[in-house]
Amino acid sequence: SQECADQGDLTAVYVSDAQFNRNIFFDTSPQAVSLYLLYNHWAMQMIVYVFIFVDLALALFEDPAVIPMPIWGTSLVEMICLIVFTARLFHYAKVIPRIRFWKDPKNICIIVIILLSLIDIIIYGSLKSTGYNAVRWSRVLRPLLLVNVTEGRQLRRAFRSIRNALPQILYVFFLFMFSMLLFSLMALKLFGKRNLFTVDGEPYFTNFLDIVFDLYVLVTTANSPDVMMPAYNYNSFFALFFILYILINTYIFMSVFLAVVYNNYKKHLKEEVRQLVKSKRQKMLRAFAVLQQPGSGEELVVSQENWNQLVHLVQPDISNAHRELLWSISDDCNKSHIGKLAFVQLPDLLNIQVITMKSRPHPLHIWFPLLYDSSVSRLLRHAVKHKAFVYIYDLIILVNAIFIGLDEENPLIAYAEWAFLALYLLEILLKLYTWEPRAFFAKHQFWNWFDSVIIVAALVGAIVNLCIKSSDGYTSRQILDIVLILRVLRLIRVVDSIKRFRTIINTLIKIGPTILTFGQLILVVYYIFAMVGMELFKEKVKYLEADSTDPYKDSCGTPLLRGTTFAKNNYCKNNFNNVVSSFILLLELTVVNQWHDILSASVSHVSARLFFVFFHIVVVIIIINIFVAFILEAFFVEYTVEKSDLQTSLEKKIEELELSVDKYLLQKQLSCPFFCLRAQQSVHGFKAVWLYNNLFHLFFSGYKTVDGLLQRMFEADLSLEDADDMDDPNFSNITFDSV
Amino acid sequence: SQECADQGDLTAVYVSDAQFNRNIFFDTSPQAVSLYLLYNHWAMQMIVYVFIFVDLALALFEDPAVIPMPIWGTSLVEMICLIVFTARLFHYAKVIPRIRFWKDPKNICIIVIILLSLIDIIIYGSLKSTGYNAVRWSRVLRPLLLVNVTEGRQLRRAFRSIRNALPQILYVFFLFMFSMLLFSLMALKLFGKRNLFTVDGEPYFTNFLDIVFDLYVLVTTANSPDVMMPAYNYNSFFALFFILYILINTYIFMSVFLAVVYNNYKKHLKEEVRQLVKSKRQKMLRAFAVLQQPGSGEELVVSQENWNQLVHLVQPDISNAHRELLWSISDDCNKSHIGKLAFVQLPDLLNIQVITMKSRPHPLHIWFPLLYDSSVSRLLRHAVKHKAFVYIYDLIILVNAIFIGLDEENPLIAYAEWAFLALYLLEILLKLYTWEPRAFFAKHQFWNWFDSVIIVAALVGAIVNLCIKSSDGYTSRQILDIVLILRVLRLIRVVDSIKRFRTIINTLIKIGPTILTFGQLILVVYYIFAMVGMELFKEKVKYLEADSTDPYKDSCGTPLLRGTTFAKNNYCKNNFNNVVSSFILLLELTVVNQWHDILSASVSHVSARLFFVFFHIVVVIIIINIFVAFILEAFFVEYTVEKSDLQTSLEKKIEELELSVDKYLLQKQLSCPFFCLRAQQSVHGFKAVWLYNNLFHLFFSGYKTVDGLLQRMFEADLSLEDADDMDDPNFSNITFDSV
């Protein structure tokens, strides 16, 4: 029995690894398996991310700091983080075979990062305590932890995509540089000898390297008319030179960059997803090998009982209705056992989001049946369910928008605000009266949660504000800010009423998780650039408050910037003096505009130029283009790709079960629970199903994971090959080193 | 016999219409056919375009003019243009049936444009002569002629694509506007009451409409850090507001715009190309119906003789070798007649570019056989053909680049320039000595032509320059400029030596013609905006030469601009005072940077803002995105799409004919003519073929026309449906009104 439990654990681990695309070759001994389960526990993963976050956040407290802390304090915290990472690594070493551990570059990376950080802490501490100057160079390595932890799969994949696209990007980049150099040479020859001057009185286009830099900035459009004006003022024909330059380098080459990045990104992602699908199959075949029993004929099968146990182990919170639905899809012919092919589908089935929901009577209906069923109450509920109710509230929101735009210090407007708040509260209460509260606040009812949280928060804020005002006699600016923001956020709800907007918003929400991966990618790159930038440029530019007595207050605390555009435009706060302002500065550089002005503030000229050009190439040309490529691809998928086979068979099965949607209810929206209103919401189309004498609803709403979305992207190309894999006679004999 | 000739004409017209995708339902009477042939003659089309060009160029001479001309002069020229357009329209009316003529919106458009222009000329002339003010409003209509002439097919298609994509773009745009309005409202509430000021001392974010405009400008990134600085300086946390705004509106929404534009553009283009393919088939079936003879069995066929005559009529300059190759592809089984299916392919076959070239002995070989075949001569030729020769000259070019970068007034450098010129001349002469001159200067030898023209022009320029210098004692700046530009252009040749660069460049050259269509599109839009802009904003801003005595010289001739960024940055020449500066200004607005500054110069505030926002939406959001979409698509096609069936069968046939490539020659590049060096140049791969005892070369280099490229883009999707069309029993019975 113990052995059985162990075997169950093992297969459950295989299935959940397949489901979440984990690729860890763990030891299959019972101890290792239970350690592995612990390793994958969400709490353990959470701890790792919390400590990575703490480690990264240390930059706020280290010199140059936002909030200064003594060196021993930050060092201590960093040591604790390093200990946690080491412990996590030890845990990992216990889970997988030793040889695997040392072969994995991820682990080597983490070990190197930990060791280098330790060395750096010691050197820095001892140098500082003896009064020497020192640089915390190991901070550049910190964000690499995000990439190298076991959970950073998505991020690693993004980095691999970039690395693979790099050669192609480089060829285009060299051609682009060549074109830029030719234009620079031409500019030198055409304008250099003409004694022209820029607005600042500098000689115009006389130094080759300056020209190259100016023309590079022109590609980013940041100095667009300025760089042209002296030549254009001299002779209108010279505008032709710049028009040609912009056409070729800004429009054509930048589009070619996007094309190359997009094309390569797609190609390599496809390859990666193919590998994922393959290894998922392998894991499921290993799980099958553990559970298999001889069936009728030669076929090996898995019984329904074993399958149920397995699903229960993998996903303990799955509802019976959901599990039975999945089984009935797998066991198409009702044989109460399934073969290899059907078994392998399990992780995909589990990855399809099916929302189960009990359809309960309204509590008021139980407590006060007569009152709740009275004709007035019925009329009220009917009214709330009517379309007009939605329209009326859309109108109220629009009127509210106008009131928000008016001056809130006018007492009339302030009173109106209370009236609006009351109206919104009334709306929520009416809806709660009409629909069953637990259904109204179900996990997937995004807009209900959104409305309620915003309204309740606004109410609390308004009351707190009122209290403070009546007690102290003045308004707290912070709380008022929050109240005002909440007021504006309320208006977002209008979007949900317009169908065309909903589809666009839903697509955006779908690709949300992947945008988070890009967020991590940007974080890693920004952090590295911020650390380097802080070491190179800190305190070169100072932001001085208005009451400062510094003689160079108007030129950012340095005589070098007196009279520059930088100082004139009040850009002093755009500096590398702490990690927060560094990040904001890097964002401004990503947006590109004025970046040449921002960089001109850095006193060390050449290193600043190199730093910024390199940043531009990495972030704007590569990462932003990959971001655009991903959004393009995601939108195309949403617009064009058909539902996957599994999705269709799920829907078919739901209909086959003859527990079909009560269409009358859905159309009339009479006694249907609230979410029926949103029935057409999803791009895939929801399905509301009465199951087990009206006790359950099953919703079907697409894929849970990013990998699911990715696999769906390339499904058309993959399905055929995968079928080949299944026929491959060697396929079921694949062995791992760890087996 | 006359009837036969007429019939031949008719079929030839069908085939060439199919080949060039002309969709004109002309009368089939012999007179109409010959008129139709005249109508399609390249000279006639050229005349139309020349007069459209003259009509558009009139804007240079009309008030506000670059070169002023009296009103009667421009009116006279415009009248002549209008007469030409009317004559062309009359010609068209003679060619097609009357009912077709009046049904076609293109013709109605042209008639309306001509009539309105006439009315405008008369009103304007009479008002001006009596001293009143008048507006030449009909000039806005002129570029529409480009769209509505029969030859403007590509342009019309581009406009149709935009029109079809418009609804989808609008939905996203409304959502984007909604998000912008919400952020504006929030900004008003957060920053309006804080008494902040911009750099110019204006109150910061206090007026809702100003905020909306500022945030719209932020989407274009043109006021990127500036708009944020007051809030950021006040409190670092407020940067979050702008970061969120930029992320959502600049990055996500702009990518979604691209995705929507791209997706819709692709979808509609596909549909259009499908229609094209269909009508091409129809035309070919009608041609077949004319030429068909009973063959063996029930099948109707076209004999080789008729086919040859037809091809000769359609393409009089086709070589015999080329024609026979095409026949042998069509007549796969050597039956000397072909059926319907093979016949229908003819226009596609004609659209595949096959370059025929006689392989002649070198003229020196004929004139001085002994000398030319002497061992020294052979060694020389061998050396020129060697790879090292190319490398040596690449090195020379690089050294030359450095010399160009140095100061040309140094006498040593000036002498070196003569040396380089001599070296380049020597190169061309050596190549002409080695390869047969007519092969060297064949039509498709782009780089040979490029080199020779640049070098000869540089030589002429240098000599002219020398003459002027020695006679007058000073250098002519214009001629020197040209010489310098030619010098730099020479460097481009390095690109051709690097294979990776060649593929990218070839793709760019391939999509060149379609970029021209976009050029026309931009011209139409720019012209309309320029005309409107000139009427609205002319003379609001003046560019004054340095020696001007205007009191407002430093503020562009108007007291309103004193002290503004516009005046400070010397932007005075960015105005609507004539058509050239208007076009350059519109280009600057397309590049987007500083556009809010440029527009702030226009004194009438609201109309200027509306004008510029509308321009931004039309040009940047729609047209530039379509441009990017097209480049993306073209690159994907070049990277991924396989060769078409026809292309493959052409190549197969070339090999089948056993006139196969002399591989030894190709590899060793010994006695192979010069172009073998470029054999791997094309993306499709060239094929060099010895044909008819080594007298001919056949090259194969992809499609000739834009439509060919487009059809290739969507071939995978189209081929199946087209096969359906062919099986359609009703298909051969399609009748046109004109038949």
Side-chain angles (χ1 to χ4, degrees), chain A residues 428-442:
Chain A
I428 293 177
L429 290 176
L430 280 175
K431 280 180 176 171
L432 278 175
Y433 180 77
T434 312
W435 284 289
E436 207 275 325
R438 268 167 294 188
F440 186 76
F441 284 124

Side-chain angles (χ1 to χ4, degrees), chain B residues 200-248:
Chain B
D200 305 328
E202 309 265 327
Y204 178 70
F205 275 6
T206 49
N207 177 310
F208 184 70
L209 287 179
D210 285 344
I211 296 175
V212 173
F213 182 71
D214 279 343
L215 288 185
Y216 188 88
V217 175
L218 182 55
V219 169
T220 68
T221 77
N223 58 357
S224 163
D226 305 87
V227 75
M228 176 177 103
M229 288 322 290
Y232 179 43
N233 283 336
Y234 179 81
N235 186 338
S236 293
F237 279 105
F238 285 137
L240 264 182
F241 173 85
F242 292 94
I243 292 174
L244 213 65
Y245 181 83
I246 288 173
L247 179 71
I248 293 178

Side-chain angles (χ1 to χ4, degrees), chain B residues 721-739:
Chain B
E721 277 173 69
D722 296 344
D724 284 352
D725 280 350
M726 293 303 289
D727 294 337
D728 185 352
N730 297 321
F731 187 65
S732 52
N733 298 327
I734 284 168
T735 49
F736 293 121
D737 293 2
S738 56
V739 180

Side-chain angles (χ1 to χ4, degrees), chain B residues 399-616:
Chain B
V399 174
N400 190 190
I402 295 164
F403 271 81
I404 293 175
L406 300 173
D407 189 359
E408 74 266 11
E409 279 169 26
N410 181 327
L412 247 172
I413 304 288
Y415 286 127
E417 186 46 44
W418 285 102
F420 281 115
L421 215 48
L423 277 172
Y424 293 129
L425 258 181
L426 181 69
E427 186 194 11
I428 294 177
L429 290 177
L430 279 175
K431 281 180 177 173
L432 278 175
Y433 180 77
T434 312
W435 285 290
E436 206 273 326
R438 266 166 297 187
F440 185 77
F441 284 124
K443 232 196 272 175
H444 63 292
Q445 296 290 358
F446 174 74
W447 288 108
N448 292 348
W449 279 101
F450 180 83
D451 284 359
S452 312
V453 168
I454 293 272
I455 298 298
V456 170
L459 194 68
V460 170
I463 291 169
V464 169
N465 193 27
L466 198 71
C467 292
I468 294 176
K469 211 172 168 180
S470 58
S471 66
D472 297 7
Y474 72 95
T475 319
S476 156
R477 198 66 234 186
Q478 272 78 28
I479 290 183
L480 196 62
D481 279 348
I482 294 169
V483 171
L484 289 172
I485 291 174
L486 287 171
R487 249 178 234 173
V488 176
L489 285 181
R490 235 147 52 190
L491 306 181
I492 293 181
R493 244 204 26 202
V494 174
V495 171
D496 191 45
S497 313
I498 299 161
K499 199 187 145 200
R500 298 277 184 175
F501 286 0
R502 267 209 306 264
T503 32
I504 301 168
I505 294 265
N506 276 324
T507 310
L508 286 176
I509 289 174
K510 281 250 167 67
I511 59 180
T514 320
I515 290 180
L516 280 186
T517 304
F518 279 102
Q520 282 186 56
L521 191 69
I522 286 277
L523 178 70
V524 170
V525 176
Y526 268 32
Y527 200 91
I528 294 174
F529 273 100
M531 291 302 129
V532 174
M534 274 158 64
E535 292 303 340
L536 286 176
F537 309 121
K538 73 181 165 197
E539 299 301 328
K540 299 249 158 152
V541 173
K542 288 195 200 78
Y543 175 68
L544 299 159
E545 299 291 336
D547 52 2
S548 156
T549 56
D550 192 294
Y552 301 114
K553 201 185 78 180
D554 291 334
S555 58
C556 309
T558 160
L560 287 164
L561 286 174
R562 187 174 287 169
T564 56
T565 327
F566 187 86
K568 271 190 222 149
N569 286 348
N570 270 340
Y571 283 180
C572 304
K573 215 173 177 179
N574 295 326
N575 56 40
F576 276 107
N577 293 354
N578 64 54
V579 71
V580 172
S581 65
S582 301
F583 265 73
I584 292 172
L585 174 56
L586 291 177
L587 183 93
E588 286 171 14
L589 294 179
T590 308
V591 175
V592 158
N593 198 51
Q594 302 288 2
W595 68 292
H596 57 303
D597 278 337
I598 296 167
L599 95 85
S600 75
S602 312
V603 185
S604 54
H605 222 55
V606 178
S607 72
R609 282 189 176 183
L610 286 178
F611 179 85
F612 289 97
V613 168
F614 189 62
F615 180 80
H616 181 259

Side-chain angles (χ1 to χ4, degrees), chain A residues 352-529:
Chain A
I352 293 178
Q353 200 165 11
V354 175
I355 297 160
T356 329
M357 177 166 299
K358 281 193 183 161
S359 169
R360 288 179 259 243
H362 200 287
L364 289 176
H365 184 76
I366 299 168
W367 300 332
F368 317 103
L370 283 175
L371 197 69
Y372 196 70
D373 271 344
S374 70
S375 61
V376 177
S377 161
R378 282 221 310 253
L379 194 73
L380 186 68
R381 283 186 281 150
H382 191 114
V384 172
K385 280 168 188 164
H386 199 271
K387 267 189 182 171
F389 185 76
V390 177
Y391 292 147
I392 288 169
Y393 265 95
D394 284 350
L395 194 71
I396 290 175
I397 291 173
L398 288 180
V399 174
N400 190 189
I402 295 164
F403 271 80
I404 294 174
L406 300 173
D407 189 359
E408 75 265 13
E409 280 171 24
N410 180 328
L412 248 172
I413 304 288
Y415 286 127
E417 187 46 45
W418 285 102
F420 280 115
L421 213 50
L423 278 172
Y424 292 130
L425 258 182
L426 181 70
E427 185 195 11
I428 293 177
L429 290 176
L430 280 175
K431 280 180 176 171
L432 278 175
Y433 180 77
T434 312
W435 284 289
E436 207 275 325
R438 268 167 294 188
F440 186 76
F441 284 124
K443 231 195 273 174
H444 62 291
Q445 296 290 357
F446 173 74
W447 288 107
N448 293 348
W449 278 101
F450 180 83
D451 284 359
S452 309
V453 168
I454 294 271
I455 297 299
V456 169
L459 194 68
V460 170
I463 290 170
V464 168
N465 193 28
L466 198 71
C467 292
I468 294 175
K469 210 172 168 180
S470 60
S471 66
D472 297 5
Y474 72 95
T475 319
S476 156
R477 197 66 235 188
Q478 271 78 29
I479 291 184
L480 196 62
D481 279 348
I482 293 169
V483 171
L484 289 172
I485 291 174
L486 287 172
R487 248 178 235 172
V488 177
L489 286 181
R490 237 149 49 191
L491 307 180
I492 293 181
R493 243 202 30 200
V494 174
V495 171
D496 190 46
S497 314
I498 299 161
K499 200 187 145 201
R500 297 277 183 173
F501 286 0
R502 268 207 309 262
T503 30
I504 301 168
I505 294 264
N506 276 323
T507 310
L508 286 177
I509 290 174
K510 281 250 166 69
I511 58 179
T514 319
I515 290 181
L516 281 186
T517 304
F518 279 101
Q520 283 186 55
L521 191 69
I522 286 277
L523 179 70
V524 170
V525 176
Y526 269 32
Y527 200 91
I528 293 173
F529 273 100

Side-chain angles (χ1 to χ4, degrees), chain A residues 62-88:
Chain A
E62 289 164 338
D63 181 58
V66 181
I67 307 153
M69 243 172 87
I71 292 173
W72 64 263
T74 54
S75 302
L76 190 72
V77 175
E78 186 158 13
M79 290 294 279
I80 295 171
C81 292
L82 294 182
I83 289 169
V84 171
F85 302 143
T86 315
R88 178 78 175 163

Side-chain angles (χ1 to χ4, degrees), chain B residues 60 68-69 132 269 288 321 379 395 403 411 425 456 459 466 585 599 604 610 623 636 650 655 680 682 731-732:
Chain B
L60 288 169
M69 243 173 87
Y132 285 97
L269 203 58
F288 186 79
L379 194 72
L395 193 71
F403 271 81
L425 258 181
V456 170
L459 194 68
L466 198 71
L585 174 56
L599 95 85
S604 54
L610 286 178
I623 294 182
F636 294 159
L650 188 85
E655 274 163 25
Q680 286 84 29
S682 161
F731 187 65
S732 52

